[in-house]
Amino acid sequence: MSSILRTTGLAVIVATATACSLSTTGFVGDIYYGYGPEAALETAATFGSPEGERSLLELERAVALLELGRYRECLQALERARLRIEADVLPGGDERRGPPPWRPALHEAVLIATMEMTAAFGMQDGNAAAAAADRAVAAMDATACAACSFNFTRVLAALAYAEVGRFDDGLAALSGVVVVGRGDDLVEELRRRLDAGPAGAEAEGLAPPPVEPRRSAVVALLLGMGPTKVGDELAVNSSSTVDWVEYLPRTPQTVSWAALELGEGRTSAVLTDVHDLAVVGLKATAERAVSDGGRSLDWDTGDLRHWASLPATMQMIVADIPQGEDGTDLVYYSRDGDEVYGETILWPVGWTGGRIFVVRRMP
């Protein structure tokens, strides 16, 4: 879909890749942004990656597969990455060859499970989404980052729990979510319906049955190009510094927000800004390191590897779809409000009621 916004040219890809170092994960992310998901998958398959980067390579592949709508393969790639991360241990001595295992930053660890929920919703699989929500909640708790705002993850988890009737878990996932602007109504409506429990959670979209069956659409939008990671230094005490990192936003951004063209239109709500989240998570890690004089630091303090193909923002639209409407336009806009791209979402034939999830990745 969004590949039309990118430059094509496989000859350029091959020529560039030939000169590339063996550290291919960041390179695959660059190919993804510049040439599209198919080219990123081809590059990943052709050049592989050192053992210490295999988990990260799987994550880059997962985003490309998500954009292509290959949700089952996306889930498989995410699971392979997650299991490899869990199995990897710190290298012992100097005997290990190649780069050490990549360790996800705070926000990356949570976004692995977030992507799993997103892909499960793309398959309309509430049970798989709820299982991923359990992992997402555990990952958020493990960050011990009170300032980290995982609003998109929490709202998605609440929706997943609602799909399987776990209303109390849904309310717990929403606790602490504060959204300013268009997302406020979305969150409050979800909280109200979850609080109603089974009486407010008919199959027609977390609402009491109306006069006619309700058709509800949840559009999860992963928009733009996520932050990049550069080298920096951190002062751990008055006389000592260590290699550190910094996150920088990518500019310019092609797509900023989207709208579902229903009547006056339903504009997407920004629930998570990935750059802001990365910066806050990094600050929490730095504060912990400074407080213990650097004792909590290990080999990865200056590791510039990162999940390059993450979006800049994670947004959502929740809307009722009128009976008889076969398709609805979804339009993407730049920061200045210029229309960048549009598509028509075709609703399933025979859809009379219930909730449908739509997932879109638009760099």
Side-chain angles (χ1 to χ4, degrees):
M1 175 189 64
S2 60
S3 59
I4 66 168
L5 301 176
R6 300 172 170 115
T7 305
T8 58
L10 290 179
V12 176
I13 297 174
V14 173
T16 305
T18 302
C20 182
S21 70
L22 289 177
S23 182
T24 58
T25 48
F27 178 69
V28 170
D30 291 339
I31 292 296
Y32 169 76
Y33 286 132
Y35 301 97
E38 295 95 342
L41 292 174
E42 181 180 341
T43 303
T46 302
F47 294 95
S49 185
E51 181 63 25
E53 298 185 9
R54 295 299 300 179
S55 56
L56 188 49
L57 185 66
E58 291 289 359
L59 296 180
E60 303 290 11
R61 292 183 66 254
V63 175
L65 290 165
L66 184 79
E67 180 176 335
L68 293 170
R70 293 160 59 177
Y71 302 122
R72 189 174 302 278
E73 293 175 77
C74 173
L75 280 171
Q76 292 169 348
L78 289 166
E79 182 179 25
R80 287 193 298 269
R82 178 167 49 80
L83 293 177
R84 184 176 289 273
I85 290 167
E86 293 171 355
D88 274 340
V89 296
L90 295 177
D94 296 325
E95 297 180 0
R96 182 181 182 118
R97 295 184 178 181
W102 172 77
R103 293 293 184 187
L106 296 183
H107 70 287
E108 291 169 320
V110 174
L111 293 186
I112 292 172
T114 305
M115 287 288 185
E116 288 181 312
M117 280 193 289
T118 305
F121 276 133
M123 295 172 58
Q124 315 300 316
D125 189 338
N127 289 322
D134 288 338
R135 291 190 289 273
V137 170
M140 287 187 288
D141 291 343
T143 65
C145 178
C148 290
S149 176
F150 296 109
N151 284 344
F152 181 86
T153 302
R154 291 188 178 281
V155 170
L156 213 60
L159 286 164
Y161 289 138
E163 285 293 295
V164 295
R166 293 169 57 181
F167 307 113
D168 289 342
D169 288 336
L171 286 170
L174 284 181
S175 64
V177 172
V178 177
V179 179
V180 178
R182 290 188 294 267
D184 183 53
D185 291 342
L186 182 156
V187 172
E188 288 307 311
E189 178 71 1
L190 177 56
R191 185 177 281 118
R192 181 186 67 78
R193 291 172 176 174
L194 281 167
D195 193 50
E202 297 294 325
E204 288 77 15
L206 287 177
V211 175
E212 60 181 356
R214 179 178 181 178
R215 305 198 308 174
S216 179
V218 177
V219 184
L221 297 160
L222 311 180
L223 303 183
M225 300 180 292
T228 190
K229 206 175 187 182
V230 298
D232 199 359
E233 286 188 341
L234 175 69
V236 294
N237 54 49
S238 59
S239 60
S240 176
T241 63
V242 296
D243 289 339
W244 200 244
V245 295
E246 179 185 6
Y247 287 100
L248 298 178
R250 296 178 194 257
T251 55
Q253 294 283 345
T254 303
V255 176
S256 182
W257 52 280
L260 204 58
E261 300 296 311
L262 285 167
E264 297 180 356
R266 298 294 180 90
T267 303
S268 59
V270 178
L271 298 180
T272 293
D273 183 297
V274 175
H275 173 255
D276 289 349
L277 176 60
V279 169
V280 172
L282 182 63
K283 181 180 178 182
T285 302
E287 289 175 347
R288 186 161 55 249
V290 171
S291 68
D292 66 10
R295 289 187 298 275
S296 62
L297 300 179
D298 52 36
W299 49 264
D300 66 354
T301 54
D303 192 344
L304 297 182
R305 294 172 296 177
H306 63 289
W307 192 353
S309 57
L310 283 173
T313 60
M314 296 182 165
Q315 307 185 25
M316 191 174 292
I317 304 172
V318 178
D320 289 342
I321 307 300
Q323 295 288 342
E325 178 157 343
D326 299 326
T328 306
D329 290 338
L330 179 64
V331 182
Y332 303 86
Y333 295 91
S334 70
R335 185 178 296 276
D336 295 329
D338 297 323
E339 183 175 331
V340 175
Y341 179 68
E343 63 168 310
T344 300
I345 300 175
L346 298 177
W347 306 115
V349 175
W351 180 36
T352 58
R355 187 188 302 102
I356 283 182
F357 293 90
V358 177
V359 174
R360 290 293 185 268
R361 172 72 177 108
M362 174 70 75

